[in-house]
Amino acid sequence: MFGLNQKDKSTLIVVAALTLLAPFILNPFPEGSALAQFNAGYPDLMQRFVIFGIFAIGFNILFGLTGYLSFGHAAFLGVGSYSAVWMFKLVGMNVLPAITLSVIVAGLFALLIGFVSLRRSGIYFSILTLAFAQMSFNLAYSVLTPITNGETGLQLTLNDPRVLGQSATADGSIPVTNLLPGLEMRSTYVLDAGPWLFQFNLGYYLCALLLLVAFYVSIRIFRSPFGMMLRAVKSNQQRMNYTGLNTRPYTLAAFVISGMYAGLAGGLMASMDPLAGAERMQWTASGEVVLMTILGGAGTLIGPVLGAGFIKYFENIFSKINDNVLHGWFAILPDGIEDFLVFVVHPFIGKGWHLTLGILFMLVVIYLPGGLVEGGQRIGKYFKRGSDDAQSNDASTKPAE
Amino acid sequence: MGILEVKNVGKRFGGLQALGNVNLSVAENSVHAIIGPNGAGKSTLLNCFVGKLIPDTGSVMFDGQSVLGRKPFEINQMGISRVFQTPEIFGDLSVMENMMIPCFAKRDGAFEMNALSSVSSQRDIHEKAEQMLVDMNMADKRHMNAASLSRGDKRRLEIGMCLSQDPRLLLLDEPTAGMARADTNNTIDLLKQIKEERDITIAIIEHDMHVVFSLAERITVLAQGTPLVEDTPDNIKGHPKVREAYLGETAAA
Ligand SMILES: Nc1ncnc2c1ncn2[C@@H]1O[C@H](COP(=O)(O)OP(=O)(O)OP(=O)(O)O)[C@@H](O)[C@H]1O
Ligand SMILES: [Mg+2]
């Protein structure tokens, strides 16, 4: 099926199940229960999971395969968002043309930046991409205000032409993004199952579907001769050159493809919430996708998806927790200890979430250089070894396939 | 007119004249050895053939075309493959993948956007790589990570990778350095066999005189960046200048 081997097929099926059933999986706790704060099955949050998943999958095609670490990929995400919003302003509220334009514009932009940056490798490449992204950010913030609306960010107004749609709805408000007339991105079906509440949002399912397509394409790239050449670039460029391969077009193609993934993510962000701001291009946003990919496991197929989900989930949980919640948790303890614990935990929650993320990241890089995927593999191996040992003692001395 | 014609090549590194005025002609389908003491400029000369270095003076012609100013990958596509003094392989990839990559480069050229077909569907490449692994006596190691191979095996893999491209000229920089005696003899046999089976020219740099005299049809002795003599192995053995400059040391050792 789909030209995949058995193992990749299972990976794809697992990711499909996770994304399509996310409204259930992410809302395991009944509404109103104390644990409901750990639920994440809300449309905007789920959308963010899969959009950043797409971003990270694309980033991994560049970084995971070729080893070229770009610190400027948020620029392509931002460009994608601006393109989509302009489509909503000028043409109409259908998301498909908007997303298409996002991908194309981001791809062209990546071609330009990649062409220049890939003249260097290693740290110089990273610095060049960072410089380009910061330049784009600053341009969007100031010089390009007519296109980007500067600080305020690009938004829809009642005066936009929308030649294939309407400037304003009958009741005088700004129209909303849709897939087809009447199929609005925001439309959500709520399944009421006793104390549980499951939300099925059209926008989320569009994002989820595109994530699956993006993931499938990434598997195909990983298993293709092209993907093998990219891994060879990472392993030994010198050998590549003396083997008659021109590394430059390979790395440039990988760069453009990953830029297009970022553009898709940006276009989807704007499709879910039609606005675009310069901060989307800032270096912190570029850094975030690097963290996601490394945390999940760079160079693995599923790693970036896991990393994106992991970071976005805990960002949401940790930033929601405040001192009141903490007091609630530690209420059973004596007052002095309670206050002390709240005092200790306080810097790591709410706005301090980045501190927690930083520590998590350091722990992963030091103890699990292969990211969450390596963690999973180690656990798997541990259990396997346990059962092997029961049968024969020399099983563990055999080399792993 | 040889397949490789080197005329008046000079190369200077700062104050060091690494190559003086080198003239060399490698006849097609021959094995030509370049010998000389450490630092004589042998690797430097080889680097000038493959685009790693550009000589300050002179010309290097391969099959009537100049290689100077061409990129390494272009020179490889012309039909020159090179084995390095320290093995250069794809350490993160499996032995099989290492062997497949040069096959792709031979079949598809310097760049091919082959992003949606799967590697496992490339029958011809698999067959070719598999055959080459069998020829190299490495088929049992096909799933191993190339980085975990022994030094001798790495070298052998690299030779196999070069041969899989059916090069017209194979350049070997000390292919048996660091090998055990048995491995060295295997390599000699392998190169002899290759020579019998195909039309190939081999230029080999080697310190091990046993290897040189087993394989070479002609020998150039390089000392301090200039060719001292060029002759047949028998004449080189008896040459007084060579004995003095080079062989004398090894004979005494
Ligand atoms: N890139 C370089 N920059 C500066 N000097 C160099 C460079 N490459 C080689 N040299 C010098 O040029 C001289 C010739 O070096 P080369 O590597 O060609 O010798 P060789 O004959 O291959 O020696 P060996 O038998 O030890 O491999 C040496 O003195 C070396 O130090
Ligand atoms: Mg040398």
Side-chain angles (χ1 to χ4, degrees):
Chain A
M1 183 185 69
F2 303 145
L4 299 183
N5 67 31
Q6 204 55 44
K7 200 165 144 250
D8 295 337
K9 223 183 283 172
S10 339
T11 313
L12 182 64
I13 290 170
V14 168
V15 173
L18 285 178
T19 46
L20 298 178
L21 299 177
F24 294 111
I25 297 170
L26 293 173
N27 258 6
F29 308 111
E31 290 299 305
S33 72
L35 289 173
Q37 57 188 318
F38 296 112
N39 280 343
Y42 311 111
D44 58 335
L45 198 56
M46 291 193 297
Q47 287 163 4
R48 226 177 308 151
F49 287 163
V50 289
I51 289 173
F52 277 94
I54 292 172
F55 190 18
I57 290 171
F59 186 76
N60 190 41
I61 291 176
L62 178 69
F63 176 56
L65 287 178
T66 70
Y68 277 80
L69 178 55
S70 161
F71 263 110
H73 256 51
F76 308 124
L77 185 108
V79 166
S81 283
Y82 282 122
S83 313
V85 175
W86 272 111
M87 280 300 264
F88 298 139
K89 286 170 88 70
L90 298 178
V91 179
M93 297 306 290
N94 190 317
V95 296
L96 293 181
I99 293 170
T100 311
L101 185 75
S102 302
V103 174
I104 293 171
V105 173
L108 291 174
F109 195 49
L111 185 64
L112 180 77
I113 292 187
F115 184 79
V116 180
S117 305
L118 286 166
R119 305 188 143 260
R120 289 280 171 272
S121 60
I123 187 79
Y124 301 101
F125 167 81
S126 303
I127 299 292
L128 279 172
T129 51
L130 177 63
F132 270 115
Q134 281 305 89
M135 246 156 63
S136 314
F137 166 71
N138 283 310
L139 284 178
Y141 218 70
S142 52
V143 183
L144 293 179
T145 300
I147 302 176
T148 61
N149 203 22
E151 254 179 89
T152 330
L154 194 61
Q155 289 166 354
L156 303 186
T157 69
L158 288 169
N159 303 324
D160 296 330
R162 274 185 278 282
V163 289
L164 294 181
Q166 36 182 190
S167 291
T169 55
D171 57 1
S173 54
I174 298 172
V176 296
T177 51
N178 61 38
L179 189 57
L180 290 168
L183 276 181
E184 293 173 358
M185 284 294 113
R186 63 177 184 189
S187 56
T188 302
Y189 170 75
V190 180
L191 178 69
D192 231 328
W196 282 278
L197 215 62
F198 302 115
Q199 305 187 44
F200 301 90
N201 168 261
L202 180 65
Y204 169 71
Y205 275 99
L206 176 70
C207 296
L209 203 69
L210 287 172
L211 173 116
L212 290 178
V213 174
F215 188 61
Y216 170 70
V217 171
S218 126
I219 298 181
R220 292 296 298 258
I221 289 176
F222 266 65
R223 301 295 178 231
S224 71
F226 173 69
M228 194 158 97
M229 296 307 160
L230 297 182
R231 285 188 295 134
V233 169
K234 183 177 179 179
S235 182
N236 190 341
Q237 287 225 28
Q238 163 125 311
R239 193 10 101 200
M240 276 293 263
N241 286 324
Y242 292 95
T243 302
L245 289 154
N246 190 0
T247 50
R248 191 73 67 73
Y250 280 106
T251 46
L252 185 58
F255 194 88
V256 170
I257 292 171
S258 76
M260 288 164 80
Y261 271 71
L264 173 64
L268 280 173
M269 257 182 212
S271 301
M272 299 304 120
D273 186 9
L275 48 85
E279 75 289 343
R280 250 172 225 180
M281 301 175 130
Q282 217 172 353
W283 68 273
T284 46
S286 297
E288 196 175 20
V289 75
V290 178
L291 293 191
M292 286 172 178
T293 309
I294 294 177
L295 192 77
T300 64
L301 279 169
I302 205 168
V305 184
L306 294 180
F310 184 87
I311 289 187
K312 284 292 150 191
Y313 177 78
F314 284 103
E315 174 186 77
N316 173 61
I317 300 296
F318 276 87
S319 38
K320 268 200 312 205
I321 300 171
N322 55 28
D323 284 3
N324 289 335
V325 177
L326 287 183
H327 279 290
W329 287 0
F330 302 132
I332 39 166
L333 300 167
D335 266 357
I337 299 179
E338 179 188 330
D339 288 342
F340 176 71
L341 280 178
V342 172
F343 172 77
V344 169
V345 178
H346 175 84
F348 297 95
I349 53 161
K351 287 212 171 69
W353 140 250
H354 283 107
L355 192 58
T356 316
L357 176 61
I359 293 171
L360 280 176
F361 185 73
M362 282 193 287
L363 289 176
V364 166
V365 170
I366 294 169
Y367 294 107
L368 288 176
L372 297 176
V373 168
E374 189 188 331
Q377 280 167 348
R378 280 203 202 165
I379 294 172
K381 247 189 220 138
Y382 180 81
F383 281 113
K384 219 188 233 160
R385 196 179 313 140
S387 60
D388 279 354
D389 278 351
Q391 290 159 4
S392 81
N393 284 324
D394 53 16
S396 54
T397 59
K398 281 180 197 150
E401 260 295 309
Chain B
M1 186 72 178
I3 190 165
L4 186 72
E5 289 286 336
V6 180
K7 292 238 159 69
N8 306 323
V9 162
K11 180 74 193 175
R12 182 175 267 286
F13 294 117
L16 175 80
Q17 189 76 42
L19 293 177
N21 190 24
V22 180
N23 286 288
L24 182 71
S25 173
V26 178
E28 186 153 13
N29 292 333
S30 70
V31 179
H32 196 124
I34 300 167
I35 62 173
N38 289 109
K42 304 179 298 293
S43 297
T44 305
L45 184 61
L46 216 66
N47 286 338
C48 292
F49 302 164
V50 293
K52 194 174 164 73
L53 288 176
I54 299 173
D56 304 328
T57 58
S59 68
V60 179
M61 307 286 278
F62 173 69
D63 197 21
Q65 281 179 301
S66 174
V67 303
L68 300 186
R70 291 182 204 256
K71 300 222 170 69
F73 77 86
E74 293 169 324
I75 294 173
N76 173 281
Q77 292 283 349
M78 288 167 79
I80 303 182
S81 280
R82 181 213 171 138
V83 173
F84 284 81
Q85 191 163 348
T86 42
E88 292 280 353
I89 50 173
F90 302 111
D92 306 327
L93 274 56
S94 75
V95 169
M96 183 66 179
E97 287 173 320
N98 266 273
M99 202 55 103
M100 289 170 79
I101 288 169
C103 298
F104 275 114
K106 176 76 182 171
R107 190 191 73 181
D108 298 339
F111 173 71
E112 169 85 31
M113 190 70 206
N114 218 339
L116 291 180
S117 66
S118 87
V119 170
S120 46
S121 69
Q122 313 284 317
R123 276 276 161 75
D124 52 332
I125 299 280
H126 270 276
E127 270 164 24
K128 180 103 202 244
E130 186 66 41
Q131 183 57 48
M132 211 57 227
L133 285 180
V134 171
D135 288 356
M136 290 288 125
N137 220 343
M138 297 190 80
D140 52 330
K141 305 197 169 78
R142 66 169 78 74
H143 295 302
M144 273 173 76
N145 214 310
S148 62
L149 292 175
S150 70
R151 200 183 150 99
D153 278 343
K154 279 183 187 159
R155 183 52 69 38
R156 226 187 359 219
L157 174 62
E158 197 183 5
I159 295 175
M161 288 163 71
C162 289
L163 286 175
S164 71
Q165 302 193 302
D166 299 319
R168 296 184 58 204
L169 174 62
L170 178 66
L171 304 174
L172 300 162
D173 197 346
E174 302 192 25
T176 65
M179 273 191 192
R181 192 82 247 174
D183 269 339
T184 302
N185 287 334
N186 283 341
T187 310
I188 294 174
D189 293 342
L190 174 75
L191 292 172
K192 274 187 177 156
Q193 186 196 337
I194 292 162
K195 201 67 211 51
E196 267 167 36
E197 286 169 0
R198 13 174 133 204
D199 289 335
I200 189 171
T201 312
I202 299 178
I204 179 170
I205 294 176
E206 188 55 72
H207 280 297
D208 187 332
M209 287 306 127
H210 172 56
V211 178
V212 172
F213 289 122
S214 316
L215 290 169
E217 292 153 53
R218 286 200 77 81
I219 299 176
T220 298
V221 183
L222 206 64
Q224 283 156 11
T226 4
L228 219 53
V229 271
E230 191 206 307
D231 216 324
T232 59
D234 288 340
N235 290 344
I236 292 285
K237 268 185 207 163
H239 203 289
K241 250 167 129 188
V242 177
R243 292 196 148 251
E244 182 194 319
Y246 188 73
L247 288 178
E249 298 169 20
T250 29

